[in-house]
């Protein structure tokens, strides 16, 4: 029996810290934006020196890095983009995520051996379009979110085997067609196709009749509220076998603007599920603990999107656009002294002596503990609480920890 090629776990890297976190917690590859020409202008993104550091960190660990240049360029973008490509052409970037065919041509002209991945912004929804891009030398095709597993399987069957398919498996869903939204531009002047989406799909709307200005009528679906364009979040962790059988080569997590807590939690859960499947595909059983872990990261209600057919009204959340947040990210371990049991911790949210918390890392599930002591790392001053952002602390740990482990606390 031929060994199955393992599906790639592809994680978002909104900045250098998230890049390292994603790799530490199990990502096979990361995608990130530079300071320009990426569709997540609000993410931290990476400057040239950070790209070099991130690439070195990933490649030393056998991981891959993909740079997003997935805006739809206007004429005014062309010369600055050429300048940008000349700045990065000597970096060892594994692939470029691009939607605009003109930008593909520019990248090939400037970096002839570049590997090209077609961004989801290109709206690939059928195998004929896939064949076109494959014939143009595109190595990987990112599927539109509007495709079912059956449709993806058909795309796979019609393409050469060396052409890879990538699909989103977790994260926010755009109400507009594969992210091609004009609402943001129209309402706020921020162009979603150039990286500045204001997310108007999450707003609460009312109706106004033209002859009754100032009289607002709520838009309601029964008694459930008026967030008429607010999709639930995609979550396919229960369906790893179906993703594999559909021929997907890379399982992509959305979230370049999310926290390192989100990245670590989601990547860790999917890593465990994917590894468990490949260890014994015939006897694979989903473990509820993986879903319980996912729910500890900030999230909306979950949906399987279009994978099993067109979504109905249940795939929308009409009540609120807020995230569910049951746990807070309170700190990150920087170092640990095995002899004393004391960790150097960077505070991320307020913590107090006596708090009941959980600690998790890439090589463990989690362990609960109570904070018994806190001290300022530099002065040694004893503290009852740590309210200052990114304060460096010393604290005893209930079990051994490693750099990169994360501390979280249940809300309420």
């Amino acid at each position: 029996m031929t060994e199955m090629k393992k599906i790639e776990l592809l994680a978002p890297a909104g900045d250098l810290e998230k890049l390292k976190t994603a790799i530490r917690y199990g990502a096979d590859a990361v995608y990130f934006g530079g300071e320009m020409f990426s569709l997540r202008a609000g993410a931290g993104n990476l400057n040239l020196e950070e790209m070099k550091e991130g690439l070195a960190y990933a490649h030393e660990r056998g991981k891959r890095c993909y740079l997003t240049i997935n805006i739809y360029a206007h004429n005014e973008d062309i010369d600055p983009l050429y300048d940008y490509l000349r700045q990065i052409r000597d970096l060892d970037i594994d692939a470029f995520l691009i939607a605009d065919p003109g930008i593909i041509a520019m990248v090939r002209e400037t970096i002839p051996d570049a590997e090209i991945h077609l961004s989801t912004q290109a709206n690939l929804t059928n195998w004929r379009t896939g064949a076109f891009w494959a014939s143009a030398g595109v190595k990987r095709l990112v599927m539109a979110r509007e495709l079912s597993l059956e449709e993806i399987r058909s795309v796979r069957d019609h393409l050469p085997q060396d052409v890879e398919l990538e699909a989103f498996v977790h994260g926010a869903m755009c109400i507009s067609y594969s992210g091609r939204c004009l609402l943001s531009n129209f309402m706020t002047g921020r162009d979603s196709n150039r990286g500045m989406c204001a997310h108007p799909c999450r707003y609460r709307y009312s109706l106004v009749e033209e002859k009754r200005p100032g009289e607002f009528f709520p838009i309601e679906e029964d008694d459930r509220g008026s967030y008429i364009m607010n999709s639930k979040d995609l979550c396919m962790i229960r369906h790893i076998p179906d993703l594999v059988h559909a021929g997907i080569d890379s399982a992509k997590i959305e979230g370049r603007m999310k926290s390192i807590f989100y990245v670590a939690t989601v990547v860790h859960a999917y890593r465990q599920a994917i590894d468990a499947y490949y260890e014994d595909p015939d006897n694979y059983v989903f473990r509820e603990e993986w879903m319980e872990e996912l729910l500890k990261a900030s999230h909306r209600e979950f949906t399987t999107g279009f994978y099993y057919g067109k979504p109905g009204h249940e795939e929308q959340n009409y009540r609120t656009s807020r995230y569910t947040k049951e746990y807070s990210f309170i700190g990150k371990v920087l170092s640990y002294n095995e002899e004393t049991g004391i960790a150097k911790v960077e505070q991320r949210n307020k913590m107090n002596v006596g708090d009941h918390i959980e600690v998790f890392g890439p090589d463990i599930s989690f362990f609960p503990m109570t904070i018994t002591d806190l001290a300022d790392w530099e002065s040694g001053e004893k503290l009852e609480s740590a309210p200052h952002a990114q304060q460096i602390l010393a604290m005893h740990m209930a079990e051994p920890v490693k750099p990169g482990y994360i501390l979280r606390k249940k809300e309420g």
Side-chain angles (χ1 to χ4, degrees):
M1 178 181 174
T2 353
E3 188 178 342
M4 281 191 295
K5 180 185 172 186
K6 201 168 190 178
I7 197 170
E8 175 188 81
L9 180 57
L10 176 57
D15 57 29
L16 183 59
E17 182 184 32
K18 292 171 192 173
L19 182 152
K20 292 180 177 180
T21 299
I23 289 170
R24 186 180 288 126
Y25 278 79
D28 298 306
V30 293
Y31 63 101
F32 59 91
E35 293 179 296
M36 302 165 67
F37 310 114
S38 163
L39 278 183
R40 285 293 178 267
N45 295 323
L46 281 73
N47 62 34
L48 196 61
E49 290 307 311
E50 289 170 331
M51 277 193 213
K52 290 177 183 176
E53 185 178 341
L55 288 164
Y57 183 90
H59 292 158
E60 283 164 9
R61 291 157 179 79
K63 310 301 182 182
R64 285 166 59 83
C65 294
Y66 310 141
L67 176 65
T68 61
I69 310 180
N70 54 350
I71 67 162
Y72 277 91
H74 290 235
N75 290 330
E76 67 199 51
D77 297 316
I78 301 302
D79 288 340
L81 179 51
Y82 269 124
D83 291 340
Y84 179 66
L85 292 174
R86 284 190 283 269
Q87 290 176 44
I88 65 171
R89 64 183 166 192
D90 294 328
L91 299 183
D92 191 16
I93 296 166
D94 295 289
F96 295 82
L97 266 161
I98 308 173
D100 185 326
I103 295 179
I104 291 177
M106 291 170 68
V107 170
R108 286 209 169 117
E109 180 185 330
T110 313
I111 311 169
D113 59 347
E115 180 175 312
I116 307 296
H117 295 180
L118 187 73
S119 168
T120 190
Q121 295 298 116
N123 298 344
L124 194 154
T125 56
N126 65 79
W127 67 265
R128 282 298 293 134
T129 303
F132 166 81
W133 287 113
S135 69
V138 173
K139 171 70 175 175
R140 179 182 292 182
L141 309 173
V142 184
M143 301 290 96
R145 285 178 173 90
E146 293 79 21
L147 292 185
S148 67
L149 288 167
E150 184 180 347
E151 289 174 303
I152 293 173
R153 178 75 259 174
S154 179
V155 173
R156 172 73 280 160
D157 289 344
H158 283 89
L159 296 181
Q161 285 305 304
D162 61 346
V163 176
E164 298 174 352
L165 303 187
E166 179 179 304
F168 281 94
V169 299
H170 194 92
M173 294 281 282
C174 184
I175 198 69
S176 188
Y177 205 79
S178 284
R180 299 288 296 276
C181 181
L182 299 178
L183 275 176
S184 180
N185 201 331
F186 178 76
M187 296 176 70
T188 70
R190 292 169 54 181
D191 190 344
S192 60
N193 293 314
R194 298 174 86 187
M196 296 175 286
C197 185
H199 305 288
C201 56
R202 308 294 179 188
Y203 298 173
R204 183 169 186 153
Y205 289 93
S206 298
L207 282 172
V208 178
E209 198 274 327
E210 71 173 322
K211 294 182 180 178
R212 293 178 174 83
E215 292 186 35
F216 297 93
F217 301 92
I219 300 172
E220 294 184 354
E221 295 281 341
D222 299 329
D223 57 352
R224 290 173 294 184
S226 56
Y227 292 89
I228 57 172
M229 294 183 286
N230 184 45
S231 173
K232 295 180 180 179
D233 280 358
L234 180 64
C235 178
M236 287 292 287
I237 196 169
R238 293 184 184 277
H239 309 284
I240 300 300
D242 290 349
L243 295 169
V244 174
H245 295 150
I248 292 168
D249 297 282
S250 180
K252 187 173 192 172
I253 296 167
E254 181 275 340
R256 278 192 282 151
M257 296 178 71
K258 303 289 180 62
S259 70
I260 67 163
F261 176 42
Y262 174 91
V263 171
T265 303
V266 176
V267 169
H268 192 217
Y270 275 87
R271 177 78 280 153
Q272 292 178 88
I274 289 170
D275 288 350
Y277 172 74
Y278 282 96
E279 280 169 16
D280 190 358
D282 294 335
N283 299 297
Y284 173 76
V285 177
F286 179 79
R287 299 212 300 263
E288 285 300 325
E289 65 195 62
W290 301 329
M291 179 59 78
E292 288 166 11
E293 280 297 293
L294 277 184
L295 293 172
K296 292 178 180 179
S298 179
H299 64 279
R300 299 183 182 93
E301 292 179 60
F302 289 138
T303 173
T304 55
F306 290 78
Y307 279 120
Y308 296 98
K310 291 184 179 177
H313 68 276
E314 291 302 322
E315 311 311 313
Q316 301 295 113
N317 185 343
Y318 300 97
R319 297 179 297 278
T320 178
S321 61
R322 292 181 181 176
Y323 283 91
T324 300
K325 187 180 177 185
E326 295 181 358
Y327 283 77
S328 291
F329 168 34
I330 59 169
K332 182 176 81 166
V333 175
L334 301 179
S335 63
Y336 177 68
N337 186 316
E338 292 185 8
E339 292 182 6
T340 63
I342 293 176
K344 181 180 183 180
V345 172
E346 182 182 78
Q347 185 261 35
R348 291 302 179 94
N349 274 294
K350 185 178 178 182
M351 62 177 88
N352 308 286
V353 172
D355 282 349
H356 301 293
I357 67 170
E358 293 178 357
V359 181
F360 77 101
D363 52 350
I364 62 169
S365 53
F366 71 89
F367 64 84
M369 62 169 274
T370 301
I371 299 177
T372 57
D373 59 279
L374 290 171
D376 181 83
W377 181 262
E378 291 295 332
S379 68
E381 178 191 356
K382 297 292 182 186
L383 305 169
E384 285 302 311
S385 69
H388 306 301
Q390 295 188 288
Q391 185 175 4
I392 306 301
L393 306 164
M395 57 189 293
H396 279 91
M397 304 303 294
E399 296 183 20
V401 293
K402 296 176 184 175
Y405 276 27
I406 284 175
L407 283 59
R408 65 191 177 202
K409 181 173 71 173
K410 192 171 177 64
E411 300 260 332

